[in-house]
Amino acid sequence: MTEPTIRVRELNLYRQYFDLVTAGTKTIEVRVKYPHLADLAIGDIIRFRIKGADETCDVKVRRVTEYGSFEALLDGEGAANVNPTVGREEQIVNIRSIYSPEKEALGVLAIEIERTG
């Protein structure tokens, strides 16, 4: 039996969220279900990169769960797992400043992550 191929995906991340991932306090990454993320699977590696910088942080995908909205995601996953530094309502505002309603309509992904190494 052959082992599944582990894929490495490179995704940009804002500095504030990057720092939470590297500290291990952000365990859920929020993304919309763009076509290039539709087949994201357990065991895949995400290499987060701060846009325009050389810093990277690798994480392993532990789980991917799809939700119908950002509110449903935060309620299902717990806002503190997405961003332990701000409350749920502020997170909704922050996420919606990144993703438009049209993008949210693609589907919302909660990606449970674990630091590697």
Side-chain angles (χ1 to χ4, degrees):
M1 184 157 70
T2 60
E3 293 291 320
T5 303
I6 295 175
R7 297 169 295 180
V8 178
R9 318 259 184 148
E10 192 164 299
L11 300 175
N12 289 320
L13 201 58
Y14 290 112
R15 164 62 75 183
Q16 65 191 28
Y17 304 120
F18 183 89
D19 290 344
L20 294 172
V21 170
T22 60
T25 57
K26 177 178 174 56
T27 59
I28 300 293
E29 172 62 10
V30 175
R31 296 287 167 145
V32 296
K33 191 176 176 183
Y34 289 122
H36 73 279
L37 295 177
D39 64 346
L40 190 65
I42 294 170
D44 284 352
I45 300 295
I46 297 173
R47 179 165 295 135
F48 287 119
R49 178 179 301 279
I50 299 171
K51 193 171 186 174
D54 291 333
E55 285 181 82
T56 62
C57 175
D58 288 357
V59 297
K60 186 176 192 174
V61 175
R62 297 183 50 128
R63 174 178 54 87
V64 180
T65 304
E66 186 172 352
Y67 290 91
S69 69
F70 295 123
E71 289 92 350
L73 183 148
L74 291 175
D75 292 344
E77 300 294 332
N81 294 317
V82 175
N83 183 348
T85 65
V86 299
R88 180 186 180 280
E89 296 311 311
E90 187 175 340
Q91 287 188 53
I92 292 291
V93 170
N94 293 342
I95 293 168
R96 290 226 163 94
S97 73
I98 297 169
Y99 296 115
S100 68
E102 294 79 19
K103 290 180 181 176
E104 183 177 4
L106 296 172
V108 177
L109 299 178
I111 306 166
E112 184 178 356
I113 56 175
E114 176 180 51
R115 288 274 324 259
T116 60

